């Protein structure tokens, strides 16, 4: 039976009792952190009961379930999310208010589990939320990084990375499960033994090993009592000291396993859409893949005895190439541990694994040097060799005489192990994450593979969970929507369509805009408290928050701000609606250009924000440490959403959907899921600019783009670029931004100057902004556009995405819950 959250009165008492029993304190003397911990335990009590019930039903109903294999789960804070999903948020808020405490301050005490970089990890978290809400059995499988995504400090405009010690004190929403520990082996060598029956036994020797310990986190569904599990793996040494080695005086050997375990799960690699081929990362991948597969098979065999029927109960979805070792490790387990021959193991594996591609950026597709791979995973390497041998035979048979093609598609080639190739070869499904992205995969970047296996390719446009990004992040709008159209949209976002009936209702439009203003005031206060900058909530809040990457073109945005500033200075009389440009972005620690762009944004902000002569018409704010928790407030407050990647480069984007859900109007290129937003919205409710993906791809192919031409024909660009290197924004060191200047114009600096066509799209970007200015001045028209965005957001719920994965790829059984 589903357990409900207690009433407000009961909660008041329970929270006070918890404070007393946990901290031996009266409520009045407790710190905010202690109250947070008490609340977490009170909520946990309910969650755990439902978790238990769900797991019992799993055993009873024996449904097919998905293991979502992902190096990243950017789950964000769980207290608020769990309260929303258990339908107890208001009750806890009221209970705390009755006790004289603001729930926001309490929620703020929770560390923000940042076990992911950006879109890919947050998508995984939204998917888990939707799976539980739709009552599909699922396990998230990942890594319990001791240090998640770094915290960002801005010092003198520069990004500094500070370790994110989220486990400093016990995290209340995780449960160590020592009873499900497994050994994972690295290095060593493989010995063969021929068996009397003619088969060969492979014996792994001389390895180092660690014990993988899972920590389970509950993933609550919305108002249905369903609780799925996110299992994140930590490592510990098998023996703290290898005594035998130690006695022989080999101290290094003695501590090897200990160091291996300590390093494995220490830190998340802070790279987004860019892979550094570090051996430790390969170790992390094998570690969590092996442990998760062992647990999955163990669970299956507890209730079934025919391993050949594994695909009837289990599917492994590989989130990008990071968990591709799933293919070879599953083969190894099936053959070496469970006695299957190659053909049977391949039959099972290729019916259990599916692959999602999240990027076309070449530098993000993983390739491992063969020697590192072989040394670290000798048995896995043997299996990959055999997969590759058979795969190349298959290509030859299908495309006789095309040796080039075989070379291009091989898993092992040029001294590298190409993970995407293995994922496509073995996966029964290969999907992209937005319609345009999937088309580019099919026609350009994975064309060879598409020709070979057209039936595997499919599209699953990304989505986001409205429970976190509207109900929790923007409760004022959420309550208003409930008043207007009821609660159906909470689990069926397509019902937002009903809001279209309000598009001509002046009163409703006014209420809607009043809520936006309230949210802008909340953000303005946050900005003032954190940045010391006073921004006017009545100005346009134009926001770009996402990872910093050159293809996402924060540079285009800030160059346009520099241009606007020039315009306002030169034409003080010009009719300009005051605008606050808000940025938030983390750059990978070693990504120099990205870090310099952060510095540029901050320096431009420092000049503009202190220039009294422009009468507060422009403000530039860089929000430090952009993360899931502050993102919710930022989306709620945005008027304009900047989705300005070079067309063809952003696989989907999901920030674009979060803004749309919160009633911001997009300025964007025809890239990723923007294209589908445009289709849902109609051209009048979105500002599209710039080259199409076909044009970009054609320029890339023909090598016929010269940014100098763009500069020469546009005096505004000339002026802005000259200001990059004349000290305008860096008096002490005029050369500071020279690398940015060179990246745009100097072919000697990068393979191709202006790789991401910033200057090519500049003029059309400026025009689109002019249209925004015009549209915003007509407040009623703007309100209609913004509300249209909310009304047409239905498609972009992760509930829809998950249902498509279930229907087309996973074929899961729903769990029945009373
Ligand atoms: O860059 C994509 C982003 O466009 C997409 O929305 C997200 C989720 O599918 O994945 C990102 N990809 C990566 O972070 C690395 O592949």
């Amino acid at each position: 039976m589903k357990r409900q959250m207690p009433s407000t009165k009961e909660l008041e008492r329970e929270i006070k009792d918890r404070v007393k029993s946990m901290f031996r304190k009266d409520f009045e003397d407790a710190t905010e952190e202690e109250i947070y911990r008490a609340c977490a335990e009170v909520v946990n009590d309910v969650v755990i009961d439902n978790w238990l019930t769900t797991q019992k039903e799993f055993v009873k109903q024996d449904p097919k379930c998905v293991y979502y294999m992902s190096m990243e789960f950017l789950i964000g804070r769980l207290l608020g999310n769990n309260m929303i999903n258990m339908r107890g948020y208001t009750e806890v808020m009221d209970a705390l208010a009755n006790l004289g405490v603001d729930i926001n301050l309490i929620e703020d005490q929770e560390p923000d589990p940042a076990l992911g970089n950006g879109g890919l990890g947050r998508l995984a978290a939204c998917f888990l939320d939707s799976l539980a809400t739709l009552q599909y059995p699922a396990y998230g499988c990942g890594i319990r990084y001791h240090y998640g995504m770094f915290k960002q400090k801005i010092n003198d405009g520069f990004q500094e990375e500070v370790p994110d010690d989220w486990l400093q004190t016990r995290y209340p929403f995780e449960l160590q499960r020592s009873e499900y520990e497994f050994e994972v082996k690295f290095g060593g060598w493989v010995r063969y033994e021929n068996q009397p029956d003619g088969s060969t036994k492979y014996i792994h020797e001389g390895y180092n090993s660690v014990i993988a310990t899972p920590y389970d986190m509950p993933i609550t569904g919305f108002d249905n009592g369903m609780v799925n599990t996110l299992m994140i793996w930590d490592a510990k040494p098998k023996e703290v000291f290898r005594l035998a080695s130690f006695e022989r005086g080999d101290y290094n050997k003695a501590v090897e396993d200990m160091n291996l375990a300590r390093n494995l799960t220490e830190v998340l690699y802070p790279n987004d859409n860019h892979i550094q081929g570090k051996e430790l990362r390969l170790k992390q991948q094998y570690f969590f893949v092996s442990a998760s597969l062992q647990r999955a098979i163990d669970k299956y065999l507890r209730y079934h005895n025919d391993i050949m029927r594994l695909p009837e109960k289990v599917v492994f979805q590989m989130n990008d190439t990071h968990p591709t070792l799933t293919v070879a490790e599953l083969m190894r387990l099936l053959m070496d541990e469970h006695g299957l021959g190659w053909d049977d193991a391949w039959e099972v594996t290729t019916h259990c694994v599916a692959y999602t591609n999240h990027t076309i950026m070449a530098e993000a597709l993983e390739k491992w040097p063969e020697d590192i791979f072989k040394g670290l995973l000798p048995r896995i390497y043997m299996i990959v060799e055999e997969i590759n041998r058979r795969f190349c035979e298959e290509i030859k048979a299908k495309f006789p005489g095309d040796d080039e093609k075989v070379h291009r598609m091989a898993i092992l080639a040029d001294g590298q192990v190409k993970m995407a190739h293995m994922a496509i070869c073995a996966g029964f499904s290969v999907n992209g994450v937005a319609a345009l992205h999937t088309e580019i995969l099919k026609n350009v970047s994975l064309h060879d593979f598409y020709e070979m296996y057209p039936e595997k390719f499919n599209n699953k446009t990304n989505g986001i969970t409205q429970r976190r990004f509207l109900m929790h992040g923007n409760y004022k709008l959420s309550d208003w929507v409930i008043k207007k159209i009821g609660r159906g949209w909470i689990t069926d976002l397509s019902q937002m369509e009903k809001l279209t009936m309000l598009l001509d209702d002046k009163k409703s439009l006014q209420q809607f805009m009043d809520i936006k203003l309230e949210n802008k005031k909340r953000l303005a206060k946050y900005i003032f408290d954190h940045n010391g900058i006073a921004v006017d909530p009545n100005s346009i809040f134009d926001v770009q928050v996402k990872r910093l990457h050159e293809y996402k073109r924060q540079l285009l945005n800030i160059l346009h701000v520099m241009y606007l500033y020039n315009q306002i200075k030169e034409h003080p009389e010009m009719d300009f609606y005051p605008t606050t440009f808000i940025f938030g972005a983390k750059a990978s620690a070693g990504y120099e250009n990205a870090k310099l762009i952060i510095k540029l944004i901050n320096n431009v902000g420092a000049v503009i924000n202190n220039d009294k002569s422009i009468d507060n018409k422009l403000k530039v704010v860089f929000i430090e440490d952009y993360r899931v928790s502050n993102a919710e407030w930022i989306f709620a407050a945005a008027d304009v959403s900047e989705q300005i990647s070079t067309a063809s480069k952003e696989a989907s984007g999901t920030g674009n959907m979060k803004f749309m859900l919160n009633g911001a109007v997009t300025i964007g290129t025809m890239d990723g899921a923007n294209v589908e937003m445009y289709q849902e919205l109609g051209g009048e409710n979105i500002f599209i600019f710039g080259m199409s993906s076909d044009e970009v791809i054609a320029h890339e192919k023909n090598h016929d783009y010269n940014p100098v031409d763009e500069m020469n024909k546009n005096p505004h660009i000339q002026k802005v670029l000259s200001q990059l290197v004349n000290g305008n924004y860096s008096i002490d060191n005029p050369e500071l931004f020279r690398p940015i200047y060179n990246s745009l114009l100097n072919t000697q600096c990068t393979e191709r100057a202006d790789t991401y066509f910033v200057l090519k799209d500049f003029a059309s970007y400026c025009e689109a902004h002019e249209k925004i200015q015009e549209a915003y001045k007509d407040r009623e028209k703007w309100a209609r556009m913004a509300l249209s965005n909310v009304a047409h957001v239905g498609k972009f719920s992760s509930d829809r995405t998950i249902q498509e994965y279930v229907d087309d790829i996973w074929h899961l059984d729903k769990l029945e819950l009373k």
Side-chain angles (χ1 to χ4, degrees):
M1 271 293 275
K2 176 176 128 191
R3 189 174 152 194
Q4 310 275 6
M5 283 286 282
S7 67
T8 304
K9 269 276 147 273
E10 286 163 337
L11 280 165
E12 260 178 65
R13 187 177 39 76
E14 284 192 28
I15 294 170
K16 277 161 73 177
D17 287 351
R18 280 302 163 114
V19 166
K20 202 182 287 172
S21 62
M22 289 172 73
F23 305 106
R24 210 212 53 189
K25 276 187 184 169
D26 287 331
F27 187 84
E28 299 67 41
D29 302 324
T31 62
E32 282 162 358
E33 212 241 329
E34 288 163 345
I35 299 172
Y36 151 69
R37 289 192 172 275
C39 286
E41 291 311 321
V42 169
V43 174
N44 248 341
D45 271 357
V46 184
V47 172
I48 299 257
D49 271 347
N50 289 331
W51 206 358
L52 258 174
T53 313
T54 306
Q55 298 308 313
K56 281 186 188 144
E57 288 302 321
F58 260 45
V59 175
K60 217 188 285 171
Q61 297 176 31
D62 192 23
K64 181 173 183 186
C65 69
V66 61
Y67 288 79
Y68 198 79
M69 311 289 289
S70 179
M71 289 282 275
E72 304 187 12
F73 286 94
L74 192 44
I75 49 177
R77 290 176 176 153
L78 288 185
L79 177 62
N81 195 65
N82 285 342
M83 293 188 302
I84 295 259
N85 282 357
M86 312 301 290
R87 297 282 310 270
Y89 192 88
T90 319
E91 288 71 10
V92 177
M93 180 171 76
D94 291 347
L96 287 172
N98 293 345
L99 295 166
V101 181
D102 174 0
I103 194 166
N104 287 315
L105 296 178
I106 300 308
E107 283 187 62
D108 227 19
Q109 303 305 311
E110 180 173 341
D112 195 337
L115 309 182
N117 273 284
L120 173 120
R122 182 55 232 176
L123 183 78
C126 285
F127 279 6
L128 293 184
D129 183 271
S130 288
L131 279 158
T133 296
L134 295 174
Q135 285 177 217
Y136 289 117
Y139 290 92
C141 304
I143 296 178
R144 184 176 183 260
Y145 301 105
H146 297 187
Y147 293 92
M149 187 59 208
F150 62 79
K151 285 189 187 304
Q152 180 191 55
K153 290 260 171 262
I154 299 296
N155 201 344
D156 185 27
F158 288 104
Q159 165 176 300
E160 280 177 9
E161 300 93 32
V162 179
D164 164 42
D165 194 0
W166 74 290
L167 291 171
Q168 199 176 29
T169 47
R170 195 186 82 79
Y171 187 64
F173 297 104
E174 64 170 13
L175 212 60
Q176 188 179 350
R177 304 300 300 274
S178 308
E179 66 274 38
Y180 296 120
E181 289 180 341
F182 294 95
E183 185 176 7
V184 181
K185 300 171 185 172
F186 297 95
W189 56 88
V190 179
R191 193 163 56 77
Y192 312 63
E193 258 178 24
N194 291 325
Q195 302 298 295
D197 65 358
S199 65
T200 312
K201 193 170 177 191
Y202 297 93
I203 302 150
H204 193 176
E205 293 179 338
Y207 53 81
N208 289 107
S209 75
V210 296
I211 299 298
T213 306
Y215 286 71
D216 287 356
M217 285 189 181
I219 304 293
T220 52
F222 180 77
D223 195 21
N224 59 3
M226 177 96 171
V227 184
N228 274 330
T229 304
L230 167 59
M231 53 167 117
I232 48 176
W233 295 92
D234 210 338
K236 65 180 188 190
K238 194 168 166 197
E239 312 162 61
V240 175
F241 287 107
R242 288 186 173 199
L243 283 177
S245 326
F246 194 50
E247 278 154 19
R248 284 199 306 273
D250 185 354
Y251 184 77
N252 285 341
K253 190 79 187 153
V255 293
E256 254 171 27
D257 283 3
M258 200 164 70
N259 285 339
L260 176 63
R262 185 176 295 149
N263 292 334
L264 251 182
T265 53
E266 199 60 5
V267 65
L268 163 81
Y269 279 100
N271 298 320
D272 184 84
N273 269 294
H274 177 88
I275 298 302
Q276 283 172 295
K278 292 274 194 276
E279 187 177 355
L280 178 60
R281 185 168 160 96
L282 184 58
K283 281 188 192 160
Q284 290 183 333
Q285 297 183 346
Y286 183 65
F287 168 73
F288 97 93
V289 160
S290 176
S292 307
L293 292 186
Q294 292 186 64
R295 188 167 169 192
I297 293 179
D298 194 63
K299 178 168 182 283
Y300 173 81
L301 288 177
R302 225 175 303 147
Y303 307 105
H304 308 88
N305 44 28
D306 184 0
I307 193 86
M308 285 301 292
R309 299 180 67 176
L310 187 69
E312 289 172 24
K313 294 292 168 195
V314 167
V315 53
F316 298 104
Q317 185 69 36
M318 302 186 290
N319 197 25
D320 236 7
T321 51
H322 321 154
T324 304
L325 285 167
T326 301
V327 173
E329 175 65 359
L330 186 54
M331 287 294 288
R332 183 190 75 79
L333 289 167
L334 293 172
M335 292 190 297
D336 297 0
E337 311 275 331
H338 298 282
L340 295 192
W342 181 277
D343 291 340
D344 282 346
W346 188 246
E347 172 78 11
V348 172
T349 300
T350 51
H351 286 86
C352 276
V353 303
Y355 161 59
T356 305
N357 175 292
H358 292 266
T359 187
I360 61 155
M361 305 297 287
E363 63 267 36
L365 288 183
E366 287 180 306
K367 302 177 185 81
W368 294 105
E370 269 186 64
D371 50 347
I372 291 187
F373 193 98
K374 190 175 179 178
L376 190 67
L377 307 168
R379 176 68 183 127
I380 293 295
Y381 181 75
M382 290 170 68
I383 292 170
V384 173
E385 269 186 320
E386 183 58 14
I387 296 176
N388 180 53
R389 192 187 65 74
R390 290 172 183 238
F391 182 47
C392 290
E393 290 302 316
E394 203 185 328
I395 307 168
K396 277 185 210 151
K398 188 141 189 183
F399 304 98
D402 196 343
D403 291 349
E404 280 254 318
K405 199 180 191 83
V406 178
H407 182 79
R408 283 199 307 270
M409 294 175 74
I411 299 167
L412 297 176
D414 313 317
Q416 292 173 320
V417 188
K418 301 185 177 177
M419 304 306 267
H421 299 194
M422 180 151 73
I424 302 170
C425 161
F428 66 84
S429 158
V430 176
N431 76 281
V433 290
L436 174 68
H437 170 60
T438 303
E439 287 310 302
I440 294 175
L441 293 180
K442 291 197 310 201
N443 301 328
V444 187
S445 51
L446 298 178
H447 184 62
D448 284 328
F449 294 88
Y450 178 60
E451 277 188 333
M452 174 107 185
Y453 305 121
E455 71 291 351
K456 291 189 182 187
F457 282 72
N458 63 94
N459 177 57
K460 296 286 164 283
T461 298
N462 284 343
I464 55 163
T465 165
Q466 63 268 32
R467 269 83 58 187
R468 180 180 285 270
F469 291 105
L470 193 63
M471 282 188 87
H472 187 253
N474 192 349
Y475 64 89
K476 287 197 168 128
L477 184 56
S478 166
D479 286 351
W480 182 81
V481 176
I482 288 172
K483 261 187 220 120
K484 298 290 179 188
I485 62 167
R487 303 182 64 87
W489 61 272
I490 300 172
T491 49
D492 172 10
L493 199 63
S494 68
Q495 294 195 22
M496 286 291 198
E497 185 82 44
K498 294 180 191 162
L499 292 173
T500 47
M501 69 190 177
L502 304 177
L503 289 176
D504 292 316
D505 174 11
K506 288 194 175 160
K507 201 166 142 227
S508 296
L509 290 176
Q510 189 54 50
Q511 291 165 345
F512 174 71
M513 290 314 281
D514 288 347
I515 291 170
K516 181 60 84 180
L517 185 62
E518 288 300 308
N519 287 326
K520 288 167 78 173
K521 285 182 184 160
R522 179 173 74 168
L523 185 63
K525 180 174 180 320
Y526 180 94
I527 290 171
F528 188 75
D529 293 347
H530 290 77
N531 296 54
I533 303 172
V535 300
D536 178 3
N538 287 305
S539 63
I540 301 174
F541 277 17
D542 181 306
V543 188
Q544 187 173 17
V545 285
K546 48 181 78 251
R547 282 300 292 258
L548 212 143
H549 202 296
E550 284 162 288
Y551 84 79
K552 295 180 188 278
R553 299 201 296 192
Q554 284 91 351
L555 182 57
L556 175 60
N557 188 343
I558 196 67
L559 291 178
H560 169 252
V561 174
M562 288 159 64
Y563 153 76
L564 280 180
Y565 180 51
N566 291 341
Q567 291 297 98
I568 294 169
K569 296 281 276 186
E570 282 167 26
H571 312 283
E573 73 296 344
M574 84 184 215
D575 185 16
F576 183 78
Y577 204 102
T579 305
T580 303
F581 287 92
I582 298 170
F583 293 82
K586 288 182 186 174
S588 292
Y591 189 172
E592 291 305 329
N593 264 5
K595 291 174 99 168
L596 200 54
I597 292 169
I598 292 181
K599 172 68 174 161
L600 177 64
I601 296 169
N602 280 299
N603 279 22
V604 170
V607 171
I608 292 180
N609 299 341
N610 291 313
D611 185 344
K612 298 260 180 321
S613 74
I614 60 166
D615 208 14
N616 288 325
K617 282 188 183 138
L618 269 187
K619 284 275 159 79
V620 180
V621 176
F622 188 95
I623 294 185
E624 189 178 67
D625 202 30
Y626 170 62
R627 57 192 186 280
V628 181
S629 49
N630 58 19
E632 293 177 25
W633 286 22
I634 297 171
F635 296 129
D639 293 308
V640 177
S641 155
E642 297 268 352
Q643 308 299 334
I644 60 176
S645 52
T646 313
S648 80
K649 302 295 177 207
E650 188 69 272
S652 163
T654 43
N656 44 4
M657 303 169 187
K658 295 165 197 166
F659 281 107
M660 185 181 184
L661 176 66
N662 282 275
V665 182
T666 300
I667 175 170
T669 47
M670 278 300 223
D671 198 16
N674 293 355
V675 176
E676 287 155 81
M677 284 166 52
Y678 170 85
Q679 285 158 357
E680 296 296 299
L681 282 166
E684 63 282 9
N685 295 313
I686 184 167
F687 297 92
I688 296 292
F689 74 97
M691 280 194 291
S692 68
S693 54
D694 284 345
E695 287 170 311
V696 170
I697 291 168
H699 279 305
E700 287 176 337
K701 196 164 152 218
N702 303 331
H703 304 280
D704 60 357
Y705 167 55
N706 184 358
V708 177
D709 295 343
E710 298 306 313
M711 183 182 71
N712 288 342
K713 64 184 184 213
N714 186 331
H716 301 303
I717 296 185
Q718 283 164 28
K719 180 157 184 183
V720 163
L721 291 186
S722 71
Q723 288 169 334
L724 270 182
V725 286
N726 71 0
N728 220 50
Y729 295 103
S730 175
I731 302 165
D732 300 339
N733 178 5
E735 287 296 303
L736 181 64
F737 299 118
R738 176 73 63 183
I740 296 180
Y741 180 92
N742 285 347
S743 77
L744 291 171
L745 294 172
N746 186 342
T747 35
Q748 276 150 21
C749 271
T750 51
E751 194 189 324
R752 196 191 65 228
D754 195 10
T755 317
Y756 297 107
F757 301 93
V758 170
L759 303 188
K760 182 86 184 159
D761 279 348
F762 187 82
S764 100
Y765 182 58
C766 294
E767 271 170 38
H769 266 290
E770 278 160 26
K771 289 188 190 140
I772 290 178
Q773 282 276 317
E774 280 314 304
Y776 201 85
K777 283 175 200 156
D778 182 345
R779 307 297 294 120
E780 200 180 305
K781 180 175 171 200
W782 186 269
R784 212 172 296 123
M785 287 176 83
L787 184 57
S788 280
N789 271 267
V790 187
H792 293 105
V793 76
K795 177 174 182 186
F796 303 106
S797 168
S798 45
D799 299 344
R800 188 266 315 146
T801 316
I802 284 299
Q803 193 56 53
E804 289 181 7
Y805 273 92
V806 170
D807 293 342
D808 302 342
I809 306 177
W810 299 337
H811 307 294
L812 307 179
D813 305 311
K814 252 188 204 243
L815 201 75
E816 299 298 327
L817 289 166
K818 289 190 198 84

